Amino acid sequence: MDKLRKYAGWIGLAVITLIFIQAAVLKLMGVQAMVEVFNKLGYPAWFRIVIGVLEISGSIALLIRSSTRYGAILLALIMIGAMISSLVKGAAGDAIVPVIMLFLLVWIAVVRGPVNRHIAEQPPASKTR
């Protein structure tokens, strides 16, 4: 059962990573739909590029065990910004996907911690007086 859980976790992580990489590539390529979304929200073109670069960075960090939490936190902050931007512009329906992604990223940050393979277990400290 642990192997199944491990593989399911990796598959889920890969899917989320691919979703963010796809979104980032669309932003960086300047696909008309992405340009329109950022224009509608009132952001300049350079901000779309910055978000795309941050999404790729966060996606790569998700896959590296020692930096998974940092990647999840970075992407979660982007999702919080997307939610707030959508709500401020009165497009509450556009906030649904960022909310779902936010919950998944928080779950990843909580569940998937770094592996400390190089730190040997130390015996409990004894008290001597």
Side-chain angles (χ1 to χ4, degrees):
M1 188 63 162
D2 283 337
K3 273 191 172 184
L4 180 62
R5 182 179 294 165
K6 180 180 177 182
Y7 292 135
W10 271 106
I11 291 169
L13 192 64
V15 168
I16 290 172
T17 299
L18 289 174
I19 289 169
F20 275 104
I21 287 176
Q22 178 190 14
V25 168
L26 294 176
K27 287 176 182 78
L28 294 173
M29 288 177 53
V31 172
Q32 189 61 32
M34 287 293 172
V35 171
E36 289 173 6
V37 166
F38 277 78
N39 287 340
K40 177 179 148 187
L41 294 173
Y43 293 116
W46 64 264
F47 190 69
R48 175 180 44 83
I49 303 298
V50 169
I51 295 297
V53 169
L54 290 174
E55 284 179 342
I56 287 180
S57 301
S59 298
I60 293 169
L62 280 179
L63 296 176
I64 302 169
R65 185 70 184 234
S66 61
S67 65
T68 298
R69 285 186 177 166
Y70 300 116
I73 291 168
L74 173 61
L75 294 171
L77 290 172
I78 293 170
M79 291 299 99
I80 290 169
M83 289 175 355
I84 291 171
S85 295
S86 296
L87 294 173
V88 165
K89 289 297 180 177
D94 293 343
I96 293 172
V97 172
V99 167
I100 293 169
M101 296 305 286
L102 176 63
F103 282 119
L104 292 172
L105 290 165
V106 168
W107 179 77
I108 289 169
V110 170
V111 171
R112 189 171 163 84
V115 175
N116 296 324
R117 294 182 184 178
H118 301 292
I119 299 175
E121 282 191 36
Q122 297 180 5
S126 61
K127 293 183 179 180
T128 55
R129 289 189 182 214

